[in-house]
């Protein structure tokens, strides 16, 4: 048999590991204990802990990647829709300030301004316009610029001159900078799109691993979600009760209400612990040997295949986590 601490092969009758000194339960005692535990068809408790930890990690990773996917998608949508927007302060009646907006879509220039009520962006002039959300921008030409200048009809002559000069200076400044900023935003959008593709790929991998893990058919269908798995993981880790007992106490509505904030706080901790564990070869070897031993002991029972699949999914999950590019990134 093998030492559960370091993986060193020792005699079946040995009480201690010859390499690290860890106390070892003789294999015939392990067999007896396993048979006693599984007389009622219950899986080994330690195997259940490995299994639940594996699924909880994957559920947390999937939760994080889905949130990052949505965030990046919204950023790409926003940057594409507003590439490129410039905002300038101009003088209004009685010296009050208001905003002027210029927009460049790679081909044409557009202009808009705030209204006095609610600061809603509106356009001026009668030329062509583009709409972004609830905002309308008029395409800039001689008519639209003149319309903007005529807007301050109640100002004094000097205020109107100041307003006109500031408006034209702002427009010239925008024309000088907009093409370069437009191209820089295209590069930024391309980079975000590549990140999006990377996150999507890793989300697919997490979904596939989770599907395989759930197909071991230990967790009932209605409990295959982050909230239930977090509860079951904590229950099994802090109680001597069986998984079936934990499932009896699993009220999803109550759990979701209580755990929303806890899971949000704990998600990153769980993922970080999984990353560290995935690089701990000794721990991985220990879990592998433990599950292989259980599978071997119960070779003639219905649990043998489940232990083997738990071991396979655990190994693949740890290998993936140790190499994945976007799991540990703060988007």
């Amino acid at each position: 048999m093998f030492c559960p601490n370091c993986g060193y092969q020792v005699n079946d009758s040995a009480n201690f590991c010859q390499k690290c000194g860890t106390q070892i339960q003789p294999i015939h005692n392990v067999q007896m204990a396993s048979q006693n535990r599984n007389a009622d068809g219950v899986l080994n408790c330690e195997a259940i802990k490995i299994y639940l930890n594996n699924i909880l990690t994957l559920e947390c990773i999937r939760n994080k990647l889905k949130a990052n996917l949505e965030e990046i998608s919204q950023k790409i949508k926003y940057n594409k829709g507003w590439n490129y927007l410039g905002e300038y302060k101009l003088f209004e009646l009685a010296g009050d300030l208001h905003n002027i907006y210029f927009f460049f879509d790679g081909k044409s220039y557009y202009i808009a301004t705030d209204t006095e009520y609610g600061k809603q962006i509106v356009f001026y002039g009668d030329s062509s316009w583009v709409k972004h959300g609830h905002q309308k921008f008029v395409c800039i030409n001689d008519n639209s610029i003149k319309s903007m200048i005529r807007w301050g009809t109640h100002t004094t002559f000097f205020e109107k001159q100041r307003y006109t000069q500031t408006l034209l200076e702002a427009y010239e400044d925008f024309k000088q900078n907009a093409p370069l900023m437009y191209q820089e935003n295209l590069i930024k959008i391309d980079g975000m799109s590549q990140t999006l593709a990377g996150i999507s790929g890793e989300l697919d991998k997490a979904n596939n691993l989770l599907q395989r893990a759930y197909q071991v058919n230990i967790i009932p269908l209605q409990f295959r979600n982050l909230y239930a798995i977090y509860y079951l993981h904590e229950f099994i880790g802090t109680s001597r009760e069986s998984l079936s007992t934990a499932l009896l106490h699993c009220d999803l509505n109550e759990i979701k209400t209580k755990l929303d904030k806890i899971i949000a706080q704990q998600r990153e901790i769980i993922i970080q612990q999984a990353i560290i564990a995935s690089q701990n070869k000794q721990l991985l070897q220990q879990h592998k040997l433990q599950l292989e031993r259980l599978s071997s002991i119960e070779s003639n029972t219905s649990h043998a295949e489940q232990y083997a699949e738990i071991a396979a999914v655990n190994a693949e999950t740890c290998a993936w986590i140790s190499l994945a590019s976007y799991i540990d990134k703060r988007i």
Side-chain angles (χ1 to χ4, degrees), residues 5-6 8 52 109 119 127 133 142 159 187 220 225-226 328:
N5 181 51
C6 67
Y8 183 76
L52 288 174
Y109 293 89
K119 295 297 182 182
S127 57
D142 288 342
E159 284 177 332
I187 296 172
N225 58 74
L226 177 58
D328 194 33

PDB file of all heavy atoms in Angstrom, residues 5-6 8 52 109 119 127 133 142 159 187 220 225-226 328:
ATOM      1  N   ASN A   5       0.319  10.357   3.179  1.00  0.00           N
ATOM      2  CA  ASN A   5       0.928  11.684   3.294  1.00  0.00           C
ATOM      3  C   ASN A   5       1.904  11.979   2.165  1.00  0.00           C
ATOM      4  O   ASN A   5       1.822  13.013   1.506  1.00  0.00           O
ATOM      5  CB  ASN A   5       1.632  11.816   4.643  1.00  0.00           C
ATOM      6  CG  ASN A   5       2.265  13.191   4.826  1.00  0.00           C
ATOM      7  OD1 ASN A   5       1.613  14.204   4.640  1.00  0.00           O
ATOM      8  ND2 ASN A   5       3.536  13.214   5.175  1.00  0.00           N
ATOM      9  N   CYS A   6       2.832  11.044   1.933  1.00  0.00           N
ATOM     10  CA  CYS A   6       3.885  11.309   0.925  1.00  0.00           C
ATOM     11  C   CYS A   6       3.796  10.422  -0.300  1.00  0.00           C
ATOM     12  O   CYS A   6       4.512  10.641  -1.282  1.00  0.00           O
ATOM     13  CB  CYS A   6       5.275  11.175   1.562  1.00  0.00           C
ATOM     14  SG  CYS A   6       5.684   9.482   2.055  1.00  0.00           S
ATOM     15  N   TYR A   8       4.697   7.286  -0.518  1.00  0.00           N
ATOM     16  CA  TYR A   8       5.756   6.260  -0.535  1.00  0.00           C
ATOM     17  C   TYR A   8       5.122   4.873  -0.343  1.00  0.00           C
ATOM     18  O   TYR A   8       4.236   4.684   0.489  1.00  0.00           O
ATOM     19  CB  TYR A   8       6.771   6.534   0.575  1.00  0.00           C
ATOM     20  CG  TYR A   8       7.940   5.581   0.605  1.00  0.00           C
ATOM     21  CD1 TYR A   8       8.968   5.696  -0.325  1.00  0.00           C
ATOM     22  CD2 TYR A   8       8.020   4.582   1.577  1.00  0.00           C
ATOM     23  CE1 TYR A   8      10.054   4.831  -0.298  1.00  0.00           C
ATOM     24  CE2 TYR A   8       9.097   3.704   1.614  1.00  0.00           C
ATOM     25  CZ  TYR A   8      10.114   3.834   0.675  1.00  0.00           C
ATOM     26  OH  TYR A   8      11.180   2.979   0.704  1.00  0.00           O
ATOM     27  N   LEU A  52     -16.968  17.140  -3.310  1.00  0.00           N
ATOM     28  CA  LEU A  52     -17.665  18.405  -3.096  1.00  0.00           C
ATOM     29  C   LEU A  52     -16.733  19.598  -3.241  1.00  0.00           C
ATOM     30  O   LEU A  52     -17.120  20.642  -3.786  1.00  0.00           O
ATOM     31  CB  LEU A  52     -18.328  18.420  -1.716  1.00  0.00           C
ATOM     32  CG  LEU A  52     -19.560  17.524  -1.543  1.00  0.00           C
ATOM     33  CD1 LEU A  52     -20.027  17.526  -0.104  1.00  0.00           C
ATOM     34  CD2 LEU A  52     -20.693  17.971  -2.466  1.00  0.00           C
ATOM     35  N   TYR A 109     -18.229  63.608 -38.406  1.00  0.00           N
ATOM     36  CA  TYR A 109     -18.255  64.260 -37.096  1.00  0.00           C
ATOM     37  C   TYR A 109     -19.688  64.672 -36.762  1.00  0.00           C
ATOM     38  O   TYR A 109     -20.436  65.114 -37.640  1.00  0.00           O
ATOM     39  CB  TYR A 109     -17.348  65.494 -37.098  1.00  0.00           C
ATOM     40  CG  TYR A 109     -15.881  65.171 -37.236  1.00  0.00           C
ATOM     41  CD1 TYR A 109     -15.293  65.073 -38.493  1.00  0.00           C
ATOM     42  CD2 TYR A 109     -15.093  64.954 -36.114  1.00  0.00           C
ATOM     43  CE1 TYR A 109     -13.942  64.768 -38.624  1.00  0.00           C
ATOM     44  CE2 TYR A 109     -13.743  64.643 -36.236  1.00  0.00           C
ATOM     45  CZ  TYR A 109     -13.181  64.548 -37.495  1.00  0.00           C
ATOM     46  OH  TYR A 109     -11.853  64.233 -37.619  1.00  0.00           O
ATOM     47  N   LYS A 119     -30.410  67.693 -18.078  1.00  0.00           N
ATOM     48  CA  LYS A 119     -29.140  67.459 -18.755  1.00  0.00           C
ATOM     49  C   LYS A 119     -29.226  66.338 -19.798  1.00  0.00           C
ATOM     50  O   LYS A 119     -28.351  65.496 -19.910  1.00  0.00           O
ATOM     51  CB  LYS A 119     -28.047  67.123 -17.733  1.00  0.00           C
ATOM     52  CG  LYS A 119     -27.721  68.263 -16.771  1.00  0.00           C
ATOM     53  CD  LYS A 119     -27.160  69.472 -17.501  1.00  0.00           C
ATOM     54  CE  LYS A 119     -26.793  70.597 -16.562  1.00  0.00           C
ATOM     55  NZ  LYS A 119     -26.296  71.796 -17.247  1.00  0.00           N
ATOM     56  N   SER A 127     -29.654  68.673 -40.362  1.00  0.00           N
ATOM     57  CA  SER A 127     -28.908  67.726 -41.191  1.00  0.00           C
ATOM     58  C   SER A 127     -29.042  66.310 -40.626  1.00  0.00           C
ATOM     59  O   SER A 127     -29.753  66.079 -39.656  1.00  0.00           O
ATOM     60  CB  SER A 127     -27.431  68.139 -41.253  1.00  0.00           C
ATOM     61  OG  SER A 127     -26.892  68.208 -39.957  1.00  0.00           O
ATOM     62  N   GLY A 133     -28.427  55.043 -27.984  1.00  0.00           N
ATOM     63  CA  GLY A 133     -29.301  54.976 -26.825  1.00  0.00           C
ATOM     64  C   GLY A 133     -30.396  56.010 -26.986  1.00  0.00           C
ATOM     65  O   GLY A 133     -31.134  56.016 -27.967  1.00  0.00           O
ATOM     66  N   ASP A 142     -21.937  73.229 -42.042  1.00  0.00           N
ATOM     67  CA  ASP A 142     -22.082  74.673 -41.808  1.00  0.00           C
ATOM     68  C   ASP A 142     -23.400  74.997 -41.108  1.00  0.00           C
ATOM     69  O   ASP A 142     -23.464  75.842 -40.210  1.00  0.00           O
ATOM     70  CB  ASP A 142     -21.998  75.447 -43.131  1.00  0.00           C
ATOM     71  CG  ASP A 142     -20.580  75.457 -43.687  1.00  0.00           C
ATOM     72  OD1 ASP A 142     -19.658  75.171 -42.892  1.00  0.00           O
ATOM     73  OD2 ASP A 142     -20.409  75.726 -44.880  1.00  0.00           O
ATOM     74  N   GLU A 159     -20.774  88.036 -25.012  1.00  0.00           N
ATOM     75  CA  GLU A 159     -20.960  86.647 -24.572  1.00  0.00           C
ATOM     76  C   GLU A 159     -21.123  85.716 -25.763  1.00  0.00           C
ATOM     77  O   GLU A 159     -20.616  84.597 -25.786  1.00  0.00           O
ATOM     78  CB  GLU A 159     -22.191  86.550 -23.659  1.00  0.00           C
ATOM     79  CG  GLU A 159     -21.950  87.089 -22.253  1.00  0.00           C
ATOM     80  CD  GLU A 159     -23.209  87.043 -21.415  1.00  0.00           C
ATOM     81  OE1 GLU A 159     -24.314  87.121 -22.010  1.00  0.00           O
ATOM     82  OE2 GLU A 159     -23.098  86.940 -20.187  1.00  0.00           O
ATOM     83  N   ILE A 187      -8.072  49.375 -31.139  1.00  0.00           N
ATOM     84  CA  ILE A 187      -7.071  48.435 -30.605  1.00  0.00           C
ATOM     85  C   ILE A 187      -7.530  47.906 -29.244  1.00  0.00           C
ATOM     86  O   ILE A 187      -7.404  46.703 -28.945  1.00  0.00           O
ATOM     87  CB  ILE A 187      -5.698  49.120 -30.494  1.00  0.00           C
ATOM     88  CG1 ILE A 187      -5.188  49.499 -31.890  1.00  0.00           C
ATOM     89  CG2 ILE A 187      -4.695  48.228 -29.778  1.00  0.00           C
ATOM     90  CD1 ILE A 187      -3.930  50.356 -31.884  1.00  0.00           C
ATOM     91  N   PRO A 220     -28.246  15.041  -6.366  1.00  0.00           N
ATOM     92  CA  PRO A 220     -29.509  15.121  -7.126  1.00  0.00           C
ATOM     93  C   PRO A 220     -29.573  16.381  -7.987  1.00  0.00           C
ATOM     94  O   PRO A 220     -28.957  17.403  -7.660  1.00  0.00           O
ATOM     95  CB  PRO A 220     -30.581  15.159  -6.028  1.00  0.00           C
ATOM     96  CG  PRO A 220     -29.932  14.516  -4.838  1.00  0.00           C
ATOM     97  CD  PRO A 220     -28.478  14.905  -4.922  1.00  0.00           C
ATOM     98  N   ASN A 225     -26.151  23.393  -8.079  1.00  0.00           N
ATOM     99  CA  ASN A 225     -25.925  24.824  -8.256  1.00  0.00           C
ATOM    100  C   ASN A 225     -24.985  25.311  -7.157  1.00  0.00           C
ATOM    101  O   ASN A 225     -24.727  24.589  -6.182  1.00  0.00           O
ATOM    102  CB  ASN A 225     -27.251  25.589  -8.215  1.00  0.00           C
ATOM    103  CG  ASN A 225     -28.001  25.372  -6.915  1.00  0.00           C
ATOM    104  OD1 ASN A 225     -27.627  25.910  -5.872  1.00  0.00           O
ATOM    105  ND2 ASN A 225     -29.062  24.561  -6.975  1.00  0.00           N
ATOM    106  N   LEU A 226     -24.476  26.505  -7.323  1.00  0.00           N
ATOM    107  CA  LEU A 226     -23.454  27.039  -6.415  1.00  0.00           C
ATOM    108  C   LEU A 226     -23.931  27.106  -4.973  1.00  0.00           C
ATOM    109  O   LEU A 226     -23.197  26.741  -4.048  1.00  0.00           O
ATOM    110  CB  LEU A 226     -23.019  28.428  -6.898  1.00  0.00           C
ATOM    111  CG  LEU A 226     -22.004  29.182  -6.028  1.00  0.00           C
ATOM    112  CD1 LEU A 226     -20.736  28.376  -5.845  1.00  0.00           C
ATOM    113  CD2 LEU A 226     -21.696  30.538  -6.639  1.00  0.00           C
ATOM    114  N   ASP A 328      -7.606  33.558 -12.577  1.00  0.00           N
ATOM    115  CA  ASP A 328      -7.061  34.386 -11.485  1.00  0.00           C
ATOM    116  C   ASP A 328      -6.957  35.858 -11.849  1.00  0.00           C
ATOM    117  O   ASP A 328      -6.388  36.647 -11.120  1.00  0.00           O
ATOM    118  CB  ASP A 328      -5.674  33.852 -11.083  1.00  0.00           C
ATOM    119  CG  ASP A 328      -5.199  34.443  -9.755  1.00  0.00           C
ATOM    120  OD1 ASP A 328      -6.051  34.703  -8.894  1.00  0.00           O
ATOM    121  OD2 ASP A 328      -3.994  34.656  -9.591  1.00  0.00           O
TER     122      ASP A 328
END
